[in-house]
Amino acid sequence: MSFYLHGVHLPHRKKTSDMEPVRMSAPQKIVLPMSMHIGAPAVPCVKAGDHVDIGTLVGSQSGYVSSPIYSSVSGTVKKIDDILLSSGKPCPAVIVESDGLMTFDQNIAPPEMNGYEDLIAAVKASGVVGLGGAGFPTHVKLDVKDISKIQELIINGAECEPYITSDTRTMIDKAHEIENAISIFEKFLGVKKTIIGIEENKKKAIAKMREIAQRNPRVEVKVLPGVYPQGGEKVLVYHTTGKVIPAGKLPLDVGCIVCNCTTMAAISNFIKTGIPLVNKCVTVDGSAVKEPKNVIVPIGTPISDVFEFCGGFSEEPQKVLYGGPMMGISVPDTSLPVLKNTNALLAFGEKEAKRPQSTQCIHCGLCVSHCPVSLSPVGIAKAYKSGNAEALAKLRVDICMECGCCSYVCPAKRPLVETNKMSKTLLREYMDAQKAKEGAK
Ligand code: SF4
Ligand code: SF4
């Protein structure tokens, strides 16, 4: 069986790829949810009335898989309040009123770098998480203990969702930061080989990354087919190294560390300047946006301010997304903020937002033949309908990466990816109940 050779060809719609990011001015206020990453939420460490600057710690990391949060403006903490995230979950947030001065915290200083432990501490302190969208704390990913296990560092430059070009811009505009991060990883993580994976449709980014490879013989640029989801971790590792990551295993289990290109640039910036993650380059696009752009946004800026910066809406948006049209998360309220892992804000008018009518499955098998991890979405839907958690476990719904390829190719427009998400919840609940039963014995 061939692995990860499926997927779909999507229209790229990357009209912002030639647009150099424009920096937004200071927003009037920022909203910093304590959960902008996978893992334990940060804990607010400021109170109403406190003065903060850019780079002042406002949320402390609260566990191993967690990440600190810093103010992206100077101003005054107004309050700590619960907000509803796009998932519908409440989360404490630090709300800062900007003084418009954008002054930096005086304690900012580059970290001392003498070895592996310093690298992990620096990445932890930087507040950097997976900036391609995953939001997984990067220091945890790099905390390998036995660095001799690392055979390859894979830099993810495969920005495969339509519209999004923020990573492409990082590769074009911040190639020097990526190059510096590679040197840091070589020095402190013992990386001997780096492969930068980029899709063939990003010619300028490929040229920039090849310049790095010309200067550093340990770096290779791998040009990949423009197939979605090329940027999925397992898909990328397979297409850059030929290695298959078994179900339930991590890239490190096959000797790889995968890091998004913007994540690499952010790590380099922190080690050079000591300025933690406070800004994010965001692609703003979609049929309802008047002036699509790449924008450098202070993290925590309300989404409505970012759209306004892009000329506002040409029509009332019917759908607003954090991220791309395939894996993006619906934004219920544009007062919600830009998060650390927000790579795009898309707004669509009525025509694009309309959901197609779903009809009966015609058993064509297209969802199976296009799944990049060889699952059977049609079988999963059947098992879910009958509430059969054991069948869902056998069908390995747990490894579904929710890429949406199955829904995209389905001629009957079945809501397969939504069913997969619900199936994963059903399976988790079943497994938890089984564990509780075992424990009670
Ligand atoms: S959403 Fe899941 S089941 Fe559907 S194609 Fe992607 S990985 Fe396969
Ligand atoms: S692609 Fe749609 S119609 Fe075809 S088998 Fe899958 S669910 Fe059924």
Side-chain angles (χ1 to χ4, degrees), residues 188 251 284 313 381 417:
F188 299 111
V284 187
F313 298 121
V417 71

Side-chain angles (χ1 to χ4, degrees), residues 367 370-373 375 377 380 399-406 417 420:
C367 55
H370 284 79
C371 174
V373 284
L375 297 180
I380 291 167
I399 63 163
C400 166
M401 54 175 142
E402 300 174 17
C403 66
C405 288
C406 47
V417 71
N420 287 0

Side-chain angles (χ1 to χ4, degrees), residues 130-148:
L131 299 179
F136 187 74
T138 307
H139 67 91
V140 179
K141 187 184 262 193
L142 301 183
D143 195 2
V144 174
K145 308 283 189 280
D146 180 5
I147 56 172
S148 67

Side-chain angles (χ1 to χ4, degrees), residues 360-368 378 406 409-412 414 416:
Q360 284 294 317
C361 170
I362 55 167
H363 305 288
C364 63
L366 283 175
C367 55
V368 180
V378 61
C406 47
V409 295
C410 175
R414 307 290 305 161
L416 297 167

